Amino acid sequence: MQDKIISAQNVEFHYTNEFEEDAPVKQVLKGVSLDIKKGEFTAVLGHNGSGKSTIAKHMNAVLLPCGGKVYVEGIDTADEERIFDIRQRVGMVFQNPDNQIVATIVEEDVAFALENLGVPPDEMRKRVDDALKSVGMYEYREHSPHQLSGGQKQRVAIAGIIAMRPDCIVLDEPTAMLDPKGRSEVLKTIRQLNRDFGVTIVLITHYMDEAAQADRIVVMDNGVILMDDVPREVFANVELMKKIGLDVPQVTELMYLLEESGLPTDTHIIDEEECTEALLKILKATPHN
Amino acid sequence: MLKDITIGQYFPGNSVVHRLDPRFKIIITGVLIAMLFSADSFIGLGVGVIFLLISFLLSQIPFKLMLKSLKPIVPIILFTSVLNIFFLEGVTIFKLGFLKITVEGLRTSAFMIIRIIALIMGSSLLTYTTSPITLTDAIERLLSPLKKIKLPVHELAMMMTIALRFIPTLIEETDKIMSAQKARGADMESGSLLQRAKALTPILIPLFVSAFRRAEELALAMECRCYQGGDGRTRLRQLHSSGADYFALGLSIVFFDLVLLLNCLMG
Ligand SMILES: Nc1ncnc2c1ncn2[C@@H]1O[C@H](COP(=O)(O)OP(=O)(O)O)[C@@H](O)[C@H]1O
Ligand SMILES: [Mg+2]
């Protein structure tokens, strides 16, 4: 039981329109079941409007399911009494770093959650410093957020969550607004947290190269989970991915095109080294003329 | 160009005045203001000014900067002194048509000018030596007893903090929107006042839309970080009062008493 951090069981959800009571309800989640294991790095893919953000918000009780159940370490998210226990265990990082930083000084922002939880000042100091160090932003602790780059701001936002010492972090397209440098900084930070600190990661993204680095990919389409497997297997379904409006990593696509043109290749390839090897094999196998 | 706007007028430094507990600084500024208002003779006013000058010298704030803070009040100074010089009855020393200058007029206007300048310098000294966020913090803590009478002290302080945090972001955004609209041919620099006001609409509307979206996302992010209002909150930054703070407060009270004493003696 305890190796499952999040367990969504047959979750159904629709947004209610406050202004038109009898507007037709559009089912956004149509029975989603998903278990997130401790220490796992899961990527969630799906085109816009497929319900990724909606399921993410179920993972720390920001939204409650209309049907089905969500458990966080065995706690039912519908249990209002334990809402802060849940939010401490599962932290959430959003797309726009500007809109999630509350304070005017980096270290005070990182302390925000701890202040809310009433952590004593000495303990807080230590946890803030640790959190800033773990995302590599310790030297910037006295800066004002608007002096930082996008990637740095997003790392501060992550530190603000890390300071709560959560078991799991859900990141909803954290790199979507960043330049390539910021993106790689943030992704590196996420992977470090996962590998070195054992933080469970749920990363929603629309960058295939980011998803390829995960242990597992969940593909959502139109409120249901379409695929749930290791990256290699998911990306091998090139046609299905394209049909639902998603890409595959460039190397997989190359292999796919070669295969289509009749060459003996394997679409279970997601990184460049493997790709080079496969290409070499093809070249050697093809008689020169 | 909008980026040049600074919020507050903090002048970073490490002087004795900078290092005082912001709560004490606010109270001492209050005592100084009381001193300046209760003084009813030049000597009394002089005592207040001496206290101000001591603090000013200790703060190591450049004199030029102080002069800059006085600039906006020049019209007020001129206006009050004109009123006082020309319209106060008394011993006339100069007369031109219906205008006459009296000794009383000169005295009162000199008194008023010194008082206004000292008031502005005193409050500027507070904002020059204390960062806006520290000031907000101190105000929250000073006002916290008022929570008992249901004044939303924490909420007000949180609003101030968030405003301080988002002003640079929104200024940057305004700049971006302005450039975008200019690139589309919007003309914002010519025409009558009304035309220019109208030209602001395509800037204000996207700005408001974005501000509301930001507010919604910020609220969500705060919720995810267990924000639940002011109850049971602790703070990272603790305010510590030291001997220096009590000494400074004591000194200001001594000066205040001196002013009151002078009032009795002179009156
Ligand atoms: N606050 C909301 N109110 C009403 N409908 C919403 C709201 N948020 C999202 N939706 C709708 O729910 C669907 C899924 O949205 P979302 O979970 O944000 O998708 P994704 O994150 O995968 O792009 C979309 O059709 C969207 O229009
Ligand atoms: Mg989304």
Side-chain angles (χ1 to χ4, degrees):
Chain A
M1 180 68 221
Q2 244 1 19
D3 61 313
K4 270 194 286 186
I5 287 203
I6 297 166
S7 172
Q9 299 172 1
N10 210 13
V11 174
E12 288 172 20
F13 185 80
H14 58 83
Y15 287 95
T16 38
N17 191 328
E18 286 147 41
F19 304 107
E20 290 173 68
E21 291 280 312
D22 42 32
V25 287
K26 188 177 154 267
Q27 206 71 10
V28 174
L29 296 180
K30 302 165 183 165
V32 172
S33 296
L34 180 66
D35 286 342
I36 304 290
K37 283 207 262 336
K38 209 169 206 127
E40 203 173 35
F41 178 178
T42 308
V44 180
L45 294 176
H47 66 79
N48 280 340
S50 56
K52 303 182 301 288
S53 299
T54 308
I55 188 69
K57 285 177 188 157
H58 279 80
M59 294 179 179
N60 71 344
V62 171
L63 293 177
L64 297 177
C66 301
K69 283 278 174 204
V70 179
Y71 295 95
V72 169
E73 299 190 357
I75 310 168
D76 186 343
T77 57
D79 187 352
E80 265 174 54
E81 310 249 294
R82 308 203 56 189
I83 194 151
F84 293 111
D85 286 334
I86 294 170
R87 293 199 178 144
Q88 254 184 91
R89 287 177 164 82
V90 179
M92 194 127 159
V93 176
F94 298 93
Q95 189 179 85
N96 190 338
D98 270 330
N99 298 352
Q100 46 190 324
I101 294 180
V102 188
T104 47
I105 298 167
V106 165
E107 63 176 14
E108 289 206 10
D109 186 73
V110 175
F112 183 71
L114 303 180
E115 294 183 331
N116 292 335
L117 292 167
V119 174
D122 295 335
E123 159 93 8
M124 197 185 308
R125 180 83 257 167
K126 191 178 167 310
R127 281 166 71 167
V128 166
D129 290 351
D130 288 350
L132 279 168
K133 280 175 194 156
S134 69
V135 300
M137 288 297 291
Y138 185 67
E139 305 89 89
Y140 295 91
R141 62 190 178 281
E142 284 178 357
H143 283 231
S144 132
H146 77 269
Q147 298 169 318
L148 305 178
S149 72
Q152 290 175 325
K153 278 190 252 193
Q154 198 62 294
R155 275 147 68 202
V156 170
I158 293 174
I161 297 299
I162 289 292
M164 288 196 286
R165 308 241 162 112
D167 298 314
C168 175
I169 306 183
V170 179
L171 304 104
D172 191 351
E173 304 196 25
T175 56
M177 303 193 68
L178 307 180
D179 56 8
K181 186 166 165 286
R183 260 184 68 197
S184 73
E185 272 170 34
V186 168
L187 200 72
K188 201 176 122 218
T189 307
I190 295 172
R191 294 189 57 187
Q192 254 168 17
L193 290 174
N194 179 245
R195 207 183 39 225
D196 302 343
F197 298 91
V199 181
T200 311
I201 302 283
V202 177
L203 173 69
I204 299 175
T205 182
H206 59 252
Y207 290 107
M208 300 306 141
D209 54 329
E210 291 178 4
Q213 301 180 27
D215 300 326
R216 167 188 178 196
I217 294 182
V218 173
V219 179
M220 289 198 61
D221 185 48
N222 203 9
V224 294
I225 291 181
L226 207 61
M227 282 186 268
D228 180 353
D229 213 331
V230 293
R232 217 172 273 285
E233 294 298 332
V234 167
F235 287 132
N237 298 304
V238 181
E239 270 155 56
L240 180 58
M241 293 290 277
K242 298 230 157 183
K243 211 181 93 204
I244 60 169
L246 293 175
D247 269 328
V248 294
Q250 280 178 329
V251 286
T252 318
E253 172 130 32
L254 176 62
M255 288 298 126
Y256 171 72
L257 291 174
L258 290 174
E259 191 176 46
E260 267 203 327
S261 64
L263 288 166
T265 59
D266 182 6
T267 49
H268 287 78
I269 276 175
I270 53 172
D271 73 47
E272 281 157 29
E273 239 158 76
E274 290 172 327
C275 177
T276 326
E277 261 172 48
L279 285 177
L280 275 175
K281 223 162 72 191
I282 296 172
L283 286 174
K284 277 183 194 148
T286 331
H288 293 271
N289 43 13
Chain B
M1 49 161 205
L2 280 173
K3 277 189 198 129
D4 303 333
I5 300 175
T6 52
I7 325 150
Q9 39 182 355
Y10 180 49
F11 182 81
N14 197 27
S15 73
V16 201
V17 184
H18 281 88
R19 286 198 311 263
L20 284 182
D21 183 326
R23 291 170 299 185
F24 278 77
K25 266 193 271 189
I26 293 175
I27 297 172
I28 293 169
T29 310
V31 175
L32 173 67
I33 291 172
M35 239 187 266
L36 294 169
F37 269 113
S38 55
D40 56 10
S41 67
F42 274 102
I43 303 181
L45 199 57
V47 172
V49 171
I50 289 172
F51 181 77
L52 176 65
L53 288 179
I54 296 174
S55 333
F56 173 62
L57 290 176
L58 287 175
S59 73
Q60 294 170 354
I61 299 290
F63 188 62
K64 253 197 186 146
L65 206 62
M66 215 24 134
L67 283 184
K68 228 174 83 188
S69 71
L70 293 176
K71 230 192 207 158
I73 58 152
V74 170
I76 302 176
I77 293 180
L78 286 179
F79 183 71
T80 49
S81 44
V82 165
L83 278 187
N84 281 314
I85 292 178
F86 293 114
F87 297 103
L88 227 67
E89 295 298 326
V91 189
T92 311
I93 46 171
F94 180 81
K95 197 164 171 174
L96 187 85
F98 68 97
L99 289 176
K100 57 180 195 300
I101 296 176
T102 62
V103 179
E104 282 76 10
L106 277 179
R107 275 181 60 102
T108 320
S109 80
F111 194 79
M112 292 301 276
I113 291 172
I114 296 174
R115 182 182 271 172
I116 295 173
I117 291 179
L119 278 173
I120 299 298
M121 278 178 71
S123 38
S124 300
L125 198 58
L126 176 66
T127 51
Y128 276 136
T129 58
T130 323
S131 72
I133 195 71
T134 321
L135 213 52
T136 312
D137 245 22
I139 293 172
E140 175 175 3
R141 277 171 239 212
L142 279 176
L143 293 183
S144 67
L146 297 183
K147 278 182 197 155
K148 287 212 184 70
I149 58 161
K150 298 271 185 284
L151 202 75
V153 176
H154 165 75
E155 284 73 10
L156 287 173
M158 190 50 109
M159 271 166 57
M160 271 161 76
T161 309
I162 291 174
L164 287 170
R165 154 72 186 79
F166 276 90
I167 285 168
T169 312
L170 290 178
I171 287 177
E172 221 175 277
E173 184 147 43
T174 314
D175 245 359
K176 256 190 223 154
I177 298 174
M178 273 169 99
S179 316
Q181 300 292 24
K182 273 188 200 154
R184 291 186 177 86
D187 178 10
M188 273 164 274
E189 263 119 39
S190 60
S192 68
L193 204 63
L194 191 69
Q195 274 170 328
R196 273 198 251 179
K198 270 191 186 156
L200 282 181
T201 322
I203 292 167
L204 289 181
I205 289 175
L207 193 64
F208 269 94
V209 171
S210 127
F212 278 109
R213 204 200 49 235
R214 283 182 194 282
E216 202 175 320
E217 286 185 31
L218 183 71
L220 180 62
M222 285 169 71
E223 219 183 303
C224 287
R225 285 158 82 186
C226 303
Y227 182 63
Q228 43 194 313
D231 295 337
R233 259 187 131 229
T234 45
R235 300 307 302 271
L236 174 67
R237 193 187 351 210
Q238 299 292 305
L239 296 179
H240 296 291
S241 44
S242 64
D245 297 308
Y246 288 99
F247 178 76
L249 180 62
L251 198 66
S252 72
I253 292 173
V254 169
F255 272 75
F256 187 33
D257 287 339
L258 202 59
V259 171
L260 293 180
L261 188 70
L262 281 166
N263 279 350
C264 290
L265 292 179
M266 314 289 277

